[in-house]
Amino acid sequence: MNLTLYVWRQKDAKDSGGFEKYTDECKDISEHMSFLELLDVVNERLIEKGKMPIAFDSDCREGICGTCSMVINGRPHGPWKKTTACQLHMRAFKDGDVIYIEPWRAKSFPVLQDLMVDRKALDDIVQAGGYISTNCGSAPDANSVQIGKEIADAAMDAAACIGCGACVAACPNASAMLFTAAKISHMNTLPQGKPEAGKRTLDMVNAMDQAGFGNCSNHLECEAACPKDIKATVIAEMNRAYAKASLTKR
Amino acid sequence: MNLDAKIPEGPIAEKWENAKFSYKLVNPANKRKFDIIIVGSGLAGGSAAATLAELGYNVACFCYQDSPRRAHSIAAQGGINAAKNYQGDGDSVYRLFYDTVKGGDYRSREANVYRLAQVSRNIIDQATAMGVPFAREYGGTLANRSFGGAQVSRTFYARGQTGQQLLLGVYAGLSRQIKAGKVTMFTRHEMLEMVTHEGRAAGIVTRDMVSGKIESHAGHSVIMASGGYGNTFYLSTNAMGCNVTASYRAYKKGAGFANPCYTQIHPTCIPVSGEYQSKLTLMSESLRNDGRIWVPKNKEDCKKKPEQIPEEDRDYYLERKYPAFGNLVPRDVASRNAKLMCDEGRGVGATGFGVYLDFSDAIQRLGKKLVEERYGNLFEMYERITGDDPYSTPMKIYPAVHYTMGGLWVDYNLQSTVPGLFVLGEANFSDHGANRLGASALMQGLADGYFVIPYTLGNYLGSEKPEKISTDHAVFKEAEKSCKDRIEKLLAIDGKRTVDSFHKELGLIMWEHCGMARNESGLKKALELIPALREEFWSDVRVPGSGANLNQSLEKAGRVADFLEFGEIMCRDALTRDESCGGHFREEHQTEEGEAKRVDEKFSHAAVWEYKGEGNEPTRHEEPMTFEHVKFSSRSYK
Ligand SMILES: Cc1cc2nc3c(=O)[nH]c(=O)nc-3n(C[C@H](O)[C@H](O)[C@H](O)COP(=O)(O)OP(=O)(O)OC[C@H]3O[C@@H](n4cnc5c(N)ncnc54)[C@H](O)[C@@H]3O)c2cc1C
Ligand code: FES
């Protein structure tokens, strides 16, 4: 198939950036390609013409590392539900399609180049409390605490977050609530995570605010954009945990 | 080259205890005087960084991704082994040890493997304490599954995302230490040079991948946990950024490289679909628990739809040839048999390089719901990539490069031939011999990082009392200069071919001549093709842009330049290892039934390559492998 791409090109954080149109480079595209392979092909053709290739992030290319991050036709990770950009395949498009590709847009994610952004703010949130404070060597036998399957499964559902930031990119307020709440839910649900639950919730929510992420006004765009199907119910859970922890703190 | 493995005294079950007792300790107040550099934030590097920081050391940890949480350990699906014997099905430390040595085709070091089996049990405890949501039974205890090469259920898992969950556990601990100021994390930093001083590890030189800045980092010790080199083949199940650069740079500074030819080809990957293919996707081996592998009995049926081929015309070749293990034979056996079937002309799919992995029996036996619970996300992933629904039609799979058993040589203490340089995880060569069993890499990475290096590093620091060299020292300045010169050189060539085109060509040479089956003439051919390709690269590659900012082409060019040198060493090693063992299959050495035939009298050793300077052939050394507990036998999975 032949396509027209409009790709956001921006030299560095200071550059103002803008869309550039590509047509010659996007001819004869196979429907079996992944979306990132389309960009690989375009890049090869750009380099051959002596132009700079499009910078974009990717690593595992199997939907698990959370590295790839781009808005495709207005949707983070593109048109397929529960699918990262690297797993999106060109079957999703047809001959003659026009595709717009942009970086994640959020104040807390400055653009580094073209489609690449800096997501350090997400690490900062986890560093504020997304852990269980147990040193290596002091763990009891893993079967000494039984954890019901339902609880383990619920923790796993929340733990499936890959930290890509699509939820932030999708949110009109650029809120990181879904990301933060998923981590809090994963940890707080498990018995091992209970002792620090209150402090964890307060610290992580505060870190999220400090990093400049916006508030949640229940648009639920985050849930729709999440490639791992993290449910927005974790946000309500977090709000309850936050209220409870604030009360006991006072 | 000194290859003293420093195996501790005593019976095998007591060696690790004896070693720990004999190790020098660093007193708690002194630990903070030591600076440790760790390259890698995967299971091995991340767990080492967190644990050493907990003990009080100052750690600087490096990764090329934008967050330590994205190291390629994240992609592991199937599970992690541990000799817990929670199922009461006869597992024990000794059995895990035995299975690993046998599975490695008698090319690993018994003492190391035994220790690995011993500490495997602590790993599950530690990971659980860190909040890893392992699968559970309804009663609340941990669930297990079985994996290739074992007849007990000792594999722990978290849906199909075991690596991710273990890594997130490690990342949580690491994040806590970053917050505490004990670990300084350098993301988007690529190690380009290793620095030694008077024969000891002194530090590294990195490139800040955003600003382009070349920086030196000095430490009392350097720990390399940079993962495997499967991307030498271009197409593999590794992530796009996986590279050999970190370990190769250490090799060039005197670290011996052991068994570079040992590569593992994973039997269950999604077949290649076209030339644009950028990586191969693994379908977890756990699928072989319930999926049945087959090809049509008759060539003529290969182009038919699988539904149209009646039961009696299907050849479940693994069940036929290996009744005891069936679809659960070790990876090398499963891979080679798939290749055999396709070479016979009985492969399926558009290219003819595929075999069926069929779940219809499992769905009948267990019900769709249970199958979905076990493999749901893998099935979804498969459908997304191929457009086929595995609930209604068999998957098509083919082997792909997956894991590298070779790596920097280390002794029992995980120290390389360069004092002060330790190597952990997939980057070292130690525990898997010539073939790794499924679910054992996660175990090894975490064993090394959580439970071995905290002791052995202390012993090095406590007994050798190394000095830290200033980054102003000439050795750092020279290393920085060599990095800068190399970058300038790459940018200045301004030839016609892209970096990727060279990488793909190298990959094809490697796959053809140093892949699933190897022979003398093919390897010799590769040894001519690779240097020629390398020469062309250095005269005709085009790397656009500059070194002074973010430049992905430049990053790739540096990695491919190293692959182009390293691929040659792999072939050289494969050529000199004139036997078949594990993942290294030399066509000249096989039984009548096509099984690998070892030549124990000549090759029961690790081959360790020593760098001898630009343009000179490396020297091959040997560390003999002796087996006191697991007696040599031909592996049989019949
Ligand atoms: C698809 C897939 C599935 C797998 N499934 C399983 C499984 O089910 N069970 C199992 O036991 N094993 C499995 N494995 C194998 C296992 O995942 C790996 O062997 C293991 O996780 C490697 O861990 P590591 O810490 O050594 O390296 P990695 O996790 O690869 O980490 C390497 C680290 O080094 C850094 N790094 C590399 N080069 C540089 C450089 N030049 N400069 C700076 N930093 C650098 C990276 O940024 C990264 O942080 C699987 C592997 C793959 C690819
Ligand atoms: S590249 Fe890893 S999730 Fe897309």
Side-chain angles (χ1 to χ4, degrees):
Chain A
M1 64 182 100
N2 299 326
L3 303 164
T4 303
L5 300 189
Y6 287 88
V7 183
W8 186 263
R9 303 301 308 257
Q10 180 174 339
K11 256 175 49 200
D12 52 33
K14 281 176 241 131
D15 186 18
S16 55
F19 281 104
E20 227 162 275
K21 180 179 176 182
Y22 300 98
T23 45
D24 290 352
E25 295 82 359
C26 345
K27 293 210 160 86
D28 301 322
I29 300 304
S30 154
E31 61 158 18
H32 297 297
M33 280 181 194
S34 72
F35 195 79
L36 301 189
E37 283 165 353
L38 161 74
L39 291 183
D40 290 343
V41 168
V42 171
N43 277 345
E44 288 290 284
R45 293 173 181 173
L46 285 173
I47 296 170
E48 276 158 16
K49 287 187 181 169
K51 297 193 180 150
M52 280 304 282
I54 302 157
F56 65 95
D57 259 325
S58 83
D59 206 29
C60 75
R61 295 208 177 183
E62 49 184 83
I64 194 72
C65 72
T67 306
C68 61
S69 44
M70 56 186 75
V71 176
I72 301 165
N73 284 343
R75 303 175 70 153
H77 291 303
W80 283 356
K81 288 241 172 255
K82 296 197 273 174
T83 306
T84 54
C86 60
Q87 290 209 296
L88 175 65
H89 275 64
M90 295 313 291
R91 280 195 304 285
F93 300 91
K94 57 181 191 311
D95 189 43
D97 274 359
V98 178
I99 307 175
Y100 282 80
I101 315 174
E102 301 166 75
W104 280 177
R105 305 253 185 225
K107 190 173 101 210
S108 312
F109 292 162
V111 173
L112 297 173
Q113 190 180 94
D114 300 341
L115 306 173
M116 290 169 73
V117 298
D118 182 353
R119 286 171 288 192
K120 186 177 167 300
L122 298 181
D123 284 334
D124 293 342
I125 296 174
V126 174
Q127 283 160 24
Y131 42 75
I132 292 166
S133 304
T134 305
N135 281 358
C136 181
S138 54
D141 185 86
N143 257 349
S144 62
V145 178
Q146 272 141 288
I147 304 179
K149 187 170 184 309
E150 294 79 8
I151 293 177
D153 283 350
M156 181 64 227
D157 286 341
C161 166
I162 57 173
C164 63
C167 47
V168 179
C171 176
N173 311 328
S175 165
M177 286 274 197
L178 191 65
F179 169 83
T180 310
K183 183 74 337 187
I184 290 176
S185 170
H186 159 209
M187 297 263 161
N188 288 8
T189 303
L190 291 169
Q192 307 91 300
K194 296 277 187 225
E196 294 170 286
K199 184 170 174 356
R200 170 181 308 118
T201 311
L202 294 177
D203 289 350
M204 287 181 75
V205 171
N206 293 340
M208 177 182 78
D209 292 341
Q210 268 171 29
F213 290 104
N215 253 319
C216 172
S217 43
N218 289 316
H219 287 267
L220 300 187
E221 295 290 341
C222 52
E223 185 181 281
C226 177
K228 295 292 138 178
D229 203 21
I230 306 289
K231 297 289 183 227
T233 47
V234 292
I235 298 180
E237 229 178 87
M238 174 175 80
N239 288 337
R240 278 197 301 277
Y242 187 84
K244 190 172 152 205
S246 311
L247 279 176
T248 41
K249 200 180 159 206
R250 255 182 249 136
Chain B
M1 188 164 258
N2 177 7
L3 297 180
D4 176 6
K6 303 206 179 71
I7 298 171
E9 295 297 315
I12 193 147
E14 288 164 29
K15 284 184 191 297
W16 182 225
E17 275 310 310
N18 292 346
K20 283 195 285 188
F21 186 68
S22 75
Y23 286 155
K24 286 270 183 335
L25 299 174
V26 179
N27 97 39
N30 279 341
K31 290 204 178 85
R32 64 186 145 80
K33 295 183 188 150
F34 287 112
D35 296 334
I36 313 300
I37 287 174
I38 302 184
V39 182
S41 65
L43 289 186
S47 60
T51 308
L52 293 173
E54 284 164 12
L55 288 171
Y57 297 106
N58 303 314
V59 176
C61 182
F62 296 81
C63 70
Y64 69 74
Q65 292 92 346
D66 70 334
S67 163
R69 68 178 289 156
R70 307 200 202 283
H72 198 49
S73 292
I74 202 139
Q77 302 168 348
I80 175 167
N81 288 333
K84 281 286 199 186
N85 193 28
Y86 280 164
Q87 306 305 322
D89 58 356
D91 200 12
S92 63
V93 166
Y94 200 88
R95 187 176 295 282
L96 175 56
F97 155 71
Y98 184 94
D99 286 351
T100 308
V101 172
K102 180 182 169 207
D105 220 2
Y106 305 89
R107 293 294 175 262
S108 51
R109 203 187 277 141
E110 278 192 338
N112 283 57
V113 178
Y114 197 89
R115 174 180 64 193
L116 174 66
Q118 282 175 309
V119 304
S120 71
R121 300 181 296 186
N122 305 81
I123 294 171
I124 302 305
D125 301 340
Q126 171 65 15
T128 302
M130 296 308 289
V132 172
F134 284 123
R136 302 254 167 187
E137 304 293 353
Y138 281 99
T141 52
L142 289 158
N144 289 114
R145 53 165 66 137
S146 48
F147 240 64
Q151 285 169 313
V152 291
S153 278
R154 62 160 75 99
T155 306
F156 295 79
Y157 61 100
R159 296 214 180 124
Q161 307 160 23
T162 315
Q164 182 200 25
Q165 293 310 321
L166 288 168
L167 186 62
L168 290 181
V170 164
Y171 165 73
L174 181 62
S175 296
R176 175 170 158 245
Q177 295 306 317
I178 295 172
K179 181 72 175 179
K182 291 304 290 178
V183 175
T184 312
M185 188 70 221
F186 294 86
T187 59
R188 293 204 202 265
H189 273 66
E190 182 159 22
M191 173 194 157
L192 295 181
E193 206 54 84
M194 163 93 203
V195 181
T196 56
H197 177 62
E198 294 176 350
R200 276 175 199 282
I204 61 171
V205 176
T206 59
R207 178 171 181 273
D208 178 329
M209 295 157 75
V210 177
S211 70
K213 208 164 156 242
I214 301 292
E215 301 158 341
S216 288
H217 308 270
H220 294 88
S221 169
V222 175
I223 295 174
M224 198 77 80
S226 50
Y229 50 85
N231 275 355
T232 314
F233 291 82
Y234 185 70
L235 285 183
S236 80
T237 64
N238 287 3
M240 302 308 286
C242 290
N243 63 86
V244 75
T245 293
S247 14
Y248 191 68
R249 299 280 129 195
Y251 159 77
K252 282 195 149 181
K253 287 289 163 70
F257 208 109
N259 304 327
C261 80
Y262 288 168
T263 8
Q264 180 166 78
I265 315 275
H266 195 289
T268 49
C269 301
I270 300 180
V272 176
S273 74
E275 248 179 66
Y276 47 79
Q277 189 104 21
S278 59
K279 77 150 285 171
L280 295 171
T281 302
L282 178 93
M283 289 282 103
S284 168
E285 175 166 44
S286 62
L287 293 168
R288 287 201 276 143
N289 264 314
D290 290 306
R292 298 179 70 198
I293 296 176
W294 63 275
V295 290
K297 279 189 182 154
N298 312 311
K299 282 183 201 170
E300 308 78 66
D301 287 349
C302 289
K303 291 287 165 229
K304 282 191 192 155
K305 286 213 169 93
E307 298 78 34
Q308 294 167 336
I309 304 172
E311 197 58 32
E312 63 272 17
D313 289 338
R314 301 176 175 192
D315 180 11
Y316 297 88
Y317 56 90
L318 291 178
E319 296 170 27
R320 168 170 61 81
K321 292 169 77 171
Y322 310 94
F325 279 69
N327 293 297
L328 287 178
V329 291
R331 294 180 169 172
D332 53 331
V333 179
S335 295
R336 226 160 23 242
N337 276 282
K339 177 177 166 17
L340 277 177
M341 296 303 130
C342 296
D343 289 349
E344 274 178 26
R346 295 199 282 144
V348 298
T351 57
F353 289 100
V355 300
Y356 289 124
L357 176 61
D358 196 335
F359 287 87
S360 48
D361 278 3
I363 292 172
Q364 251 174 21
R365 182 164 43 92
L366 306 164
K368 188 171 166 187
K369 186 152 177 293
L370 200 58
V371 171
E372 186 175 341
E373 215 163 85
R374 284 190 191 163
Y375 309 110
N377 67 323
L378 297 172
F379 280 24
E380 259 179 51
M381 173 146 105
Y382 182 85
E383 182 168 3
R384 235 173 269 136
I385 294 174
T386 62
D388 287 343
D389 168 22
Y391 292 106
S392 56
T393 185
M395 288 182 174
K396 287 192 269 300
I397 52 162
Y398 198 66
V401 173
H402 174 56
Y403 182 88
T404 49
M405 281 76 66
L408 292 173
W409 182 89
V410 288
D411 62 16
Y412 186 78
N413 301 324
L414 304 183
Q415 184 166 234
S416 72
T417 55
V418 175
L421 173 67
F422 293 80
V423 191
L424 319 182
E426 192 173 339
N428 74 24
F429 91 111
S430 63
D431 298 344
H432 308 293
N435 174 55
R436 173 176 72 79
L437 292 182
S440 285
L442 300 179
M443 167 173 77
Q444 182 228 330
L446 289 175
D448 291 358
Y450 274 140
F451 297 107
V452 180
I453 193 71
Y455 296 93
T456 60
L457 180 73
N459 181 49
Y460 170 74
L461 298 172
S463 55
E464 310 266 319
K465 308 210 164 47
E467 295 282 323
K468 179 175 151 185
I469 312 298
S470 154
T471 52
D472 292 330
H473 194 284
V475 285
F476 279 104
K477 293 298 147 205
E478 278 158 31
E480 285 178 22
K481 182 166 182 312
S482 101
C483 290
K484 288 178 187 157
D485 289 351
R486 199 169 134 94
I487 289 171
E488 286 313 315
K489 199 171 155 194
L490 284 167
L491 291 166
I493 301 167
D494 199 25
K496 286 188 292 298
R497 287 183 61 180
T498 64
V499 175
D500 277 0
S501 78
F502 283 103
H503 197 178
K504 284 182 189 177
E505 190 172 337
L506 173 68
L508 287 175
I509 297 173
M510 295 301 296
W511 181 243
E512 178 72 20
H513 301 296
C514 198
M516 243 186 299
R518 304 150 175 195
N519 60 49
E520 185 183 342
S521 74
L523 288 163
K524 285 191 169 152
K525 181 146 180 229
L527 286 171
E528 285 166 16
L529 293 172
I530 297 170
L533 184 64
R534 191 165 62 225
E535 209 167 290
E536 193 185 339
F537 174 88
W538 283 104
S539 62
D540 198 27
V541 74
R542 174 181 295 177
V543 185
S546 94
N549 53 17
L550 199 159
N551 184 343
Q552 291 183 315
S553 301
L554 179 64
E555 293 160 18
K556 283 198 264 188
R559 294 173 196 153
V560 172
D562 286 338
F563 284 134
L564 281 164
E565 292 183 24
F566 185 71
E568 189 178 332
I569 303 178
M570 289 173 71
C571 293
R572 208 177 279 284
D573 188 44
L575 182 63
T576 39
R577 186 167 285 279
D578 192 13
E579 67 159 350
S580 294
C581 59
H584 169 66
F585 188 76
R586 280 286 298 267
E587 285 169 352
E588 300 91 331
H589 298 278
Q590 52 181 312
T591 64
E592 270 173 27
E593 294 145 320
E595 304 295 337
K597 235 164 88 181
R598 296 192 317 264
V599 183
D600 293 326
E601 318 79 73
K602 275 167 77 183
F603 290 102
S604 180
H605 60 243
V608 186
W609 295 87
E610 181 182 10
Y611 183 66
K612 283 292 179 187
E614 213 67 61
N616 299 325
E617 282 191 10
T619 314
R620 185 178 188 274
H621 303 271
E622 294 173 5
E623 183 208 335
M625 294 289 152
T626 48
F627 296 89
E628 285 171 28
H629 298 85
V630 188
K631 293 283 166 242
F632 281 128
S633 65
S634 337
R635 288 189 315 164
S636 168
Y637 292 94
K638 294 213 178 248

